[in-house]
């Protein structure tokens, strides 16, 4: 009894953790299912069929490839643009700075449905064809905001004296940026890039408005498949994505805790 | 590039810095001899840090020139100047090891012996054993020495120190003062040390420029500044001063003049009297005053109003007949002590007095000292 009392917080934490992880566990478990019929809702029989043949369902790997491609390009472009905006906002005073600060939040505050439909209207007016390019433009646009927020927070904590010290020690502006500013801002930039990738990879609503029949992303594929019966391969890919995310987060934690230990 | 023995003196010619609403540094003329340990001393906001930043190239002057030897460096950028700074906050690069911090400047110059030079300088500041650590793993005093090493290793024409000991506790500060002085003598570079701590400036510097509201009040070696201040600001900012209103009596000898303080005639050295002034503040440092009559001509009688014992010395506050209280500091060397309320004589030797133009505020600079402890 005493033991339980003592570890009450641990029990509560485990319960919450379990609550959060149950869906992932179910996904992982059902990725080893061999369903009876079209729907993968009841565990029928253990099978590694889907794991050994992840591209077995028609169109699934094409959609995954497209999503990864869009995710990488969109997050890289948004990171470069967003980091530059964040440095400008964090380091310089210029006309229109506060307006920019405010407007940068707009894509985050606008409901996705509204943004998706208005983007479609805009693209139609400008004659931009629906499909991959349109999706990419849309993704870069909303990812930039998130990158700016992440990088700006980091830039704000940088001591401008460090850049002065670099100049004082003979580093020209380019060297100062590459050797001092950029490495120090890197954690913020990396966080922004990861956030941008997962937002882009995950996006359904805006993507759906601006897609064409030849540009089916992974979320669109899953959504479409859900009506007819989700193939087990979706569970496999879901599990892999979850594990990858877990590894990335754990690595980041490990690096930062090691850095932190050095600080203390 | 490698061997710059011919560096020359640093000279500032009518150097000025104005901001939108105020002038931080009024036209400043100053020559700092090569190899000297120079202090810019003044309260916060007096323009000393702005002056330092202009020399470093981190602040653009509004007017005037900066020369090192024959070279005019006014128009050059910070990274083009062979001047290095030890920042108040140290500004060590947190993502680099101590060694990389120290080699940063050498690497920018493409110095082939960067590693060897860095090792030597870390040895000089006694940090060889922590070369591989990150700055944040070190104590404040060690970080301070890394900052010093990082600047020194480049053998700059001028090394600038911006309140480098401000963040250290008293004991460590004392220790670092000695250390800095030792290192300066060892490397023989020009050091310019900005500080608001008058004791620190006097301990370390060969010469001191006392700055106030963007101007140099007085320039000289520590002893001269202390013994013969030329303004009430210097008299109060560098240590304590008793300033009493006096009028110069006509006549006197070549060496001695008499001044009238209320109803008493007092003697002082003529060389300590500014020329062409009749109304003066007669100044005497508290430790130059003696309780009891020393036999000389200078003595005033008053009542002891306050006694505070501080170990090596006792400080008395003696009220004069006209209401002013004089501060007397007596070494606790076994001589007689006065009690509260006792009537005593306060005396001093004629050559310990100095005189300042009475048109100045007697309190100038006094209130600023306590701000910083």
């Amino acid at each position: 009894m005493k033991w339980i009392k003592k570890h009450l917080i641990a029990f509560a934490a485990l319960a919450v953790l379990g609550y959060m992880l149950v869906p992932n566990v179910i996904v992982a478990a059902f990725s080893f299912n061999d369903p009876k019929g079209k729907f993968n809702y009841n565990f029928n029989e253990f099978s590694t069929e889907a794991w050994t043949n992840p591209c077995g369902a028609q169109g699934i790997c094409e959609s995954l490839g497209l999503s990864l491609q869009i995710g990488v390009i969109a997050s890289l472009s948004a990171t470069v643009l967003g980091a530059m905006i964040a440095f400008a906002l964090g380091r310089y005073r210029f006309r229109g700075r506060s307006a920019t600060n405010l407007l940068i939040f707009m894509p985050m505050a606008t409901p996705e449905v509204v943004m998706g439909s208005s983007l479609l209207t805009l693209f139609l007016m400008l004659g931009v064809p629906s499909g991959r390019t349109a999706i990419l433009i849309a993704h870069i646009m909303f990812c930039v905001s998130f990158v700016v927020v992440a990088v700006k927070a980091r830039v704000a904590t940088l001591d401008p004296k460090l850049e002065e010290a670099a100049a004082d020690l003979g580093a020209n502006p380019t060297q100062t940026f590459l050797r001092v500013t950029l490495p120090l801002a890197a954690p913020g930039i990396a966080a922004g890039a990861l956030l941008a990738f997962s937002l882009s990879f995950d996006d359904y609503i805006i993507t759906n408005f601006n897609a064409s029949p030849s540009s089916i992303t992974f979320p669109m594929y899953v959504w479409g498949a859900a009506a007819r019966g989700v193939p087990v391969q979706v569970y496999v890919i879901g599990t892999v994505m979850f594990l990858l995310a877990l590894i990335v987060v754990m690595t980041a934690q490990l690096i930062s805790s090691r850095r932190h230990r050095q600080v203390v | 590039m490698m061997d710059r023995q011919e560096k020359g003196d640093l000279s500032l010619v009518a150097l000025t810095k104005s901001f939108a609403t105020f002038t931080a540094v009024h036209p400043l003329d100053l020559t700092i001899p090569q190899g000297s340990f120079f202090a810019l001393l003044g309260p916060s906001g007096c323009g000393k840090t702005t002056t330092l930043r202009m020399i470093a190239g981190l602040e653009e002057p509004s007017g005037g020139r900066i020369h090192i030897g024959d070279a005019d460096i006014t128009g050059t950028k910070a990274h083009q100047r062979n001047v290095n700074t030890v920042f108040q906050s140290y500004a060590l690069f947190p993502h680099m090891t101590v060694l990389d911090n120290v080699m940063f400047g050498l690497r920018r110059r493409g110095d082939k012996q960067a590693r060897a030079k860095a090792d030597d300088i870390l040895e000089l500041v006694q940090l060889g054993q922590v070369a591989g650590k990150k700055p944040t793993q070190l104590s404040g005093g060690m970080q301070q020495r890394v900052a010093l090493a990082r600047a020194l290793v480049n053998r700059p024409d001028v090394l600038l120190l911006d309140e480098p000991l401000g963040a250290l506790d008293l004991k460590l500060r004392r220790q670092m003062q000695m250390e800095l002085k030792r290192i300066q003598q060892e490397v023989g570079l020009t050091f310019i040390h900005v500080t608001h701590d008058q004791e620190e400036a006097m301990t370390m510097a060969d010469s001191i420029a006392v700055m106030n509201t963007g101007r140099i009040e007085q320039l000289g070696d520590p002893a001269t500044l202390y013994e013969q201040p030329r303004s009430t600001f210097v008299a109060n900012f560098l240590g304590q001063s008793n300033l009493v209103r006096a009028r110069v009596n006509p006549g006197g000898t070549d060496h001695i003049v008499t001044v009238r303080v209320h109803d008493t005639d007092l003697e002082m050295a003529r060389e300590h009297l500014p020329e062409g002034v009749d109304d003066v503040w007669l100044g005497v440092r508290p430790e130059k005053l003696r309780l009891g009559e020393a036999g000389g001509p200078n003595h005033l009688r008053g009542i002891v109003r306050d006694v505070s014992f501080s170990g090596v010395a006792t400080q008395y506050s003696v009220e004069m007949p006209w209401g002013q209280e004089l501060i007397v500091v007596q070494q606790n060397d076994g001589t007689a002590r006065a009690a509260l309320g006792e009537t005593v004589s306060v005396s001093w030797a004629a050559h310990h007095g100095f005189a300042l133009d009475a048109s100045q505020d007697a309190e100038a600079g006094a209130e600023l000292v306590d701000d910083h402890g």
Side-chain angles (χ1 to χ4, degrees):
Chain A
M1 200 56 205
K2 223 176 179 179
W3 186 84
I4 294 174
K5 248 187 194 164
K6 212 174 161 189
H7 295 83
L8 210 57
I9 290 176
F11 283 124
L14 280 174
V16 172
L17 208 62
Y19 176 61
M20 281 163 58
L21 287 176
V22 159
N24 297 93
V25 173
I26 297 291
V27 166
F30 275 76
S31 71
F32 291 103
N33 192 15
D34 182 11
K36 211 190 275 176
K38 278 184 174 180
F39 292 93
N40 188 10
Y41 294 158
N42 294 303
F43 202 87
N44 183 42
E45 197 185 334
F46 181 83
S47 156
T48 53
E49 158 69 21
W51 280 91
T52 49
N53 188 15
C55 287
Q58 203 205 341
I60 187 166
C61 280
E62 286 79 357
S63 71
L64 178 65
L66 180 66
S67 270
L68 288 174
Q69 190 189 28
I70 290 175
V72 168
I73 300 176
S75 57
L76 285 182
S77 316
T79 302
V80 173
L81 287 172
M84 292 198 291
I85 296 172
F87 273 109
L89 290 173
R91 272 296 153 79
Y92 302 100
R93 302 279 166 273
F94 51 89
R95 192 192 284 265
R97 181 172 167 269
S98 38
T100 313
N101 249 328
L102 192 71
L103 290 173
I104 213 78
F105 275 98
M106 291 302 286
M108 292 160 85
T110 314
E112 281 200 61
V113 176
V114 176
M115 187 142 63
S117 55
S118 55
L119 271 172
L120 178 61
T121 315
L122 178 70
F123 286 144
L124 285 175
M125 268 171 53
L126 294 176
V128 178
S130 289
R132 194 202 311 216
T133 312
I135 294 172
L136 208 50
I137 294 172
H139 281 200
I140 293 172
M141 187 268 297
F142 70 74
C143 285
V144 162
S145 306
F146 290 92
V147 175
V148 169
V149 172
V151 179
K152 217 174 75 178
R154 182 73 193 177
V155 170
T157 65
L158 293 189
D159 183 2
K161 281 265 185 295
L162 293 176
E163 286 166 351
E164 286 191 350
D168 185 77
L169 290 164
N172 64 35
T174 315
Q175 291 170 327
T176 300
F177 182 77
L178 290 179
R179 301 204 176 263
V180 175
T181 317
L182 198 58
L184 289 172
I189 295 174
L194 283 175
L195 189 62
F197 179 80
S198 69
L199 286 168
S200 164
F201 185 83
D202 195 42
D203 185 72
Y204 174 73
I205 302 174
I206 295 173
T207 312
N208 198 33
F209 271 104
N210 296 290
S212 69
S214 64
S215 64
I216 306 295
T217 63
F218 185 67
M220 287 172 69
Y221 175 89
V222 176
W223 181 259
R228 289 172 273 113
V230 179
V232 184
Q233 279 80 0
V234 169
Y235 290 71
V236 173
I237 292 171
T239 307
V240 171
M241 293 306 290
F242 171 71
L243 290 175
L244 281 178
L246 203 65
I247 290 170
V248 169
V249 171
M250 276 166 57
T251 313
Q253 283 284 334
L254 215 71
I255 292 173
S256 88
S257 83
R258 184 174 302 164
R259 201 174 285 172
H260 195 73
R261 214 175 315 135
Q262 285 178 341
V263 169
V264 175
Chain B
M1 193 79 185
M2 286 302 300
D3 214 24
R4 269 168 296 204
Q5 288 308 310
E6 298 298 312
K7 286 165 181 170
D9 304 343
L10 172 77
S11 48
L12 312 179
V13 184
L15 195 66
T16 315
K17 181 68 188 182
S18 310
F19 293 102
T21 50
F22 74 108
T23 301
V25 179
H26 292 277
L28 188 89
D29 289 287
L30 186 60
T31 298
I32 298 168
Q34 181 187 332
S36 63
F37 199 130
F38 192 90
L40 276 174
L41 172 68
S44 33
C46 73
K48 59 191 193 300
T49 296
T50 308
T51 305
L52 196 80
R53 290 173 59 82
M54 286 194 283
I55 300 171
L58 298 170
E59 202 88 62
E60 213 174 309
S62 313
R65 317 299 302 171
I66 303 168
H67 301 272
I68 294 178
D70 296 328
D72 185 335
I73 60 163
T74 319
T76 58
K77 300 267 182 238
H79 69 270
Q80 296 162 328
R81 295 185 187 186
N82 197 29
V83 171
N84 290 120
T85 309
V86 178
F87 291 85
Q88 182 169 19
S89 57
Y90 313 145
L92 298 174
F93 306 125
H95 59 299
M96 296 181 195
T97 61
V98 167
L99 185 67
D100 285 333
N101 264 281
V102 174
M103 289 202 290
F104 190 89
L106 298 171
R107 281 187 173 146
R108 301 287 80 74
R109 292 177 173 79
D111 194 320
K112 294 275 192 298
Q113 293 147 323
R115 181 62 200 264
K117 288 183 180 176
D119 285 340
D120 283 351
I121 208 84
L122 282 172
E123 227 36 70
L124 181 73
V125 296
Q126 295 156 12
L127 284 178
Q129 72 285 4
V130 297
K133 293 199 174 181
K134 294 277 175 70
T136 40
Q137 293 171 275
L138 307 182
S139 68
M142 285 166 121
Q143 290 186 29
Q144 207 283 330
R145 281 183 282 161
V146 176
L148 181 65
R150 185 178 69 172
L152 268 181
V153 75
N154 305 298
R155 300 200 68 85
D157 298 343
V158 179
L159 184 83
L160 306 172
L161 302 128
D162 184 7
E163 307 254 6
L165 309 179
L168 305 179
D169 63 54
L170 189 64
K171 200 173 162 207
L172 200 54
R173 200 152 71 215
R174 289 272 151 76
Q175 199 182 324
M176 281 306 299
Q177 287 172 4
M178 312 295 282
E179 191 87 331
L180 266 179
K181 185 78 190 154
R182 171 183 73 84
I183 290 170
Q184 194 266 341
Q185 280 162 354
E186 214 165 307
V187 295
L189 299 175
T190 311
F191 276 34
I192 302 179
H193 181 194
V194 155
T195 180
H196 64 251
D197 184 332
Q198 40 100 10
E199 229 179 283
E200 188 172 296
M202 287 197 281
T203 312
M204 295 161 76
D206 304 324
S207 43
I208 301 175
V210 182
M211 280 188 83
N212 184 27
T213 60
R215 290 188 174 84
I216 290 182
E217 287 263 340
Q218 193 174 347
L219 174 68
D221 63 276
T224 310
L225 284 182
Y226 187 78
E227 302 296 349
Q228 293 159 48
R230 283 207 305 264
S231 70
T232 54
F233 180 86
V234 176
N236 291 322
F237 194 73
L238 260 79
Q240 282 179 301
S241 288
N242 292 302
L243 298 175
V244 294
R245 197 57 183 265
R247 192 167 169 79
V248 180
N249 293 327
T253 69
D254 282 354
H255 300 294
I256 297 290
V257 278
T258 61
V259 295
R260 193 159 188 81
V261 175
H262 295 268
D263 297 325
T264 317
D265 281 329
L266 301 168
E267 287 186 357
M268 65 171 291
R270 184 178 283 284
E271 56 175 332
H272 292 173
L273 185 71
E275 276 186 42
V277 204
D278 287 331
D279 281 308
V280 293
W281 294 111
L282 172 64
V284 191
R285 296 289 188 182
E287 75 281 3
K288 304 283 169 28
L289 294 177
R290 286 280 168 273
L291 289 184
E293 298 199 13
N298 292 341
H299 46 82
L300 294 166
R301 285 186 76 77
I303 301 160
V304 176
R305 288 296 180 208
D306 188 51
V307 181
S308 63
F309 177 78
S310 71
V312 286
T314 304
Q315 178 172 312
Y316 300 90
S317 199
V318 182
E319 190 185 324
M320 293 292 109
W322 58 90
Q324 186 180 3
E325 292 194 354
L326 298 187
I327 309 292
V328 181
V329 173
Q330 292 278 85
Q331 290 293 319
N332 289 329
D333 52 6
T335 48
R337 311 243 312 263
L340 208 60
E342 197 179 323
T343 300
V344 292
S345 262
V346 174
S347 59
W348 67 95
H351 66 272
H352 281 148
F354 55 87
L356 304 167
D357 191 331
S359 61
Q360 305 170 71
D361 175 13
E363 295 292 314
E367 73 284 5
L368 296 164
V369 177
D370 292 335
D371 282 359
H372 305 294

